[in-house]
Amino acid sequence: MDELQYVGFWARFWATMVDIVLLLMLIYPLFYLLYGSAFLERAGEFTLVNNVINFLVPFIAVMFLWKSKGATPGKMLIKATIVDEKTLQAPSTKQLFIRYWAYLLSALPLMLGYFWAGWDKKKQTWHDKLAHTVVIQPQKAYKKKSLGSYVAIGFGIFAIVVFTALMAIGFMIQSGVIPDGDLYTKEKLPQSVLADLRSKNILQSDENLTYYQSESLFSYVDSATLFTQKGISYFESDEQGEIILWYFPFKDIGKLLLKSEKIALGIELITMEIYNNEGEFEFSNVLTPRSGQAEAFIEDVQRTWKAIKR
């Protein structure tokens, strides 16, 4: 151990942040391929596919790196390695298996098992103690920081900021504070938004909303396209915050074109064009339905329009 040292809490913390971001970069695209833009709200569902992505994929990736490299990417950046506590050699597969699942025990009591590395003599976490492992690095990695160390610290800070921002945005979307960018059905749209639309006279009291597409990233009622049983509306706010509203009753629409197409990663877009009874172009927009919603939406809107035009 003369040329080696145990890796302390903060170095391991930054390394873990790097690993978390890389892991999210691995599993989030898989969820997006499955669920499209609804992946944030559906990733937590208890299904076989979700469990494979959430638990089995990270387990295989981490175990492979531990066995082949002795560390995950975050630890590699600071030249840290997981070794057997006594021999300082590569741990057995059994030790690594125990270490991985013992993460749960370290996390349960307010992450106390992770903080334990901050004052433990060998800088061990609880999962290290259960697996009889330690994390070591060369002494010079501490005395003379390499470029990789500074990259790890910088990337770790960046990872925390990005991770926190993503979680905050995800929480606000789940809570209905901000829109998720998808085409909402009436049932999915927060009731507070409906009340706001009526108070601003965007949605009349005798109109029943069927679909709603917000055009803003951080507000439901800055600009949007909405569909009712009587027609289609589009509104936006000017610089003074005044509402500018365009309304197209179904009875005055001579031709309504709704065409869906799939682009990269399974994302569906609906191009909408509205023409008046004289065949003159009136309005166009692009809508972003939830995955698998496009066909049902087009059929529903077309059916409502045709029923009024008869």
Side-chain angles (χ1 to χ4, degrees):
M1 277 294 293
D2 290 342
E3 296 182 358
L4 300 171
Q5 65 176 10
Y6 299 117
V7 182
F9 171 79
W10 283 111
R12 294 176 66 167
F13 173 79
W14 295 121
T16 299
M17 291 300 102
V18 172
D19 290 337
I20 287 174
V21 170
L22 293 177
L23 185 59
L24 292 177
M25 291 171 65
L26 171 65
I27 65 175
Y28 272 15
L30 297 178
F31 280 124
Y32 194 87
L33 288 173
L34 279 173
Y35 303 124
S37 54
F39 77 98
L40 277 176
E41 61 187 80
R42 299 199 59 187
E45 294 176 358
F46 194 78
T47 65
L48 177 60
V49 174
N50 283 7
N51 289 338
V52 168
I53 296 175
N54 281 323
F55 302 110
L56 187 59
V57 170
F59 172 72
I60 292 173
V62 171
M63 287 293 290
F64 172 77
L65 288 168
W66 280 354
K67 284 295 291 182
S68 60
K69 303 293 184 181
T72 46
K75 287 185 175 63
M76 292 180 201
L77 284 173
I78 58 173
K79 299 182 179 179
T81 309
I82 302 167
V83 296
D84 179 83
E85 179 182 11
K86 293 181 179 179
T87 66
L88 300 184
Q89 300 300 310
S92 66
T93 301
K94 179 182 177 181
Q95 284 177 285
L96 295 177
F97 183 88
I98 293 172
R99 188 178 193 274
Y100 184 89
W101 293 109
Y103 276 150
L104 297 173
L105 295 176
S106 290
L108 283 177
L110 301 176
M111 311 297 283
L112 181 60
Y114 290 95
F115 289 117
W116 205 265
W119 54 78
D120 187 80
K121 182 179 179 181
K122 293 183 178 180
K123 308 298 182 185
Q124 287 176 297
T125 57
W126 287 2
H127 48 274
D128 280 319
K129 289 186 177 296
L130 288 169
H132 302 291
T133 59
V134 290
V135 180
I136 59 173
Q137 67 180 171
Q139 290 267 3
K140 61 181 180 180
Y142 176 77
K143 293 179 178 177
K144 194 182 227 182
K145 284 187 172 65
S146 64
L147 177 61
S149 298
Y150 288 110
V151 170
I153 293 172
F155 193 79
I157 295 172
F158 175 75
I160 291 175
V161 173
V162 171
F163 182 74
T164 303
L166 287 174
M167 291 302 101
I169 291 173
F171 176 76
M172 286 189 289
I173 290 174
Q174 291 279 53
S175 303
V177 177
I178 60 174
D180 61 9
D182 284 335
L183 182 65
Y184 284 86
T185 60
K186 179 182 178 181
E187 292 73 26
K188 291 286 185 179
L189 192 67
Q191 290 299 309
S192 59
V193 178
L194 282 171
D196 204 4
L197 292 172
R198 294 193 188 280
S199 69
K200 293 182 178 181
N201 293 319
I202 297 171
L203 183 65
Q204 302 303 314
S205 58
D206 61 341
E207 289 184 299
N208 292 318
L209 185 74
T210 53
Y211 295 96
Y212 189 85
Q213 171 79 69
S214 174
E215 305 285 337
S216 173
L217 292 176
F218 297 104
S219 173
Y220 283 97
V221 291
D222 275 350
S223 61
T225 303
L226 56 153
F227 298 78
T228 70
Q229 294 178 334
K230 293 184 176 182
I232 301 170
S233 299
Y234 175 80
F235 72 89
E236 61 185 33
S237 303
D238 62 18
E239 294 181 356
Q240 287 73 41
E242 296 294 325
I243 299 295
I244 304 172
L245 178 66
W246 291 264
Y247 179 55
F248 308 97
F250 281 135
K251 63 182 179 63
D252 294 337
I253 296 177
K255 183 165 64 172
L256 177 60
L257 299 180
L258 293 167
K259 182 181 178 182
S260 69
E261 61 176 327
K262 289 187 177 181
I263 57 177
L265 299 176
I267 300 173
E268 287 185 284
L269 297 179
I270 297 175
T271 304
M272 177 178 68
E273 293 182 3
I274 297 175
Y275 297 80
N276 62 25
N277 288 323
E278 286 72 43
E280 298 171 335
F281 173 79
E282 291 280 350
F283 180 74
S284 68
N285 202 358
V286 176
L287 309 170
T288 54
R290 295 178 186 274
S291 179
Q293 185 191 27
E295 186 177 343
F297 164 78
I298 291 174
E299 289 180 358
D300 190 19
V301 174
Q302 290 277 8
R303 182 170 55 249
T304 304
W305 167 61
K306 289 176 181 178
I308 291 177
K309 291 296 291 182
R310 284 176 188 158

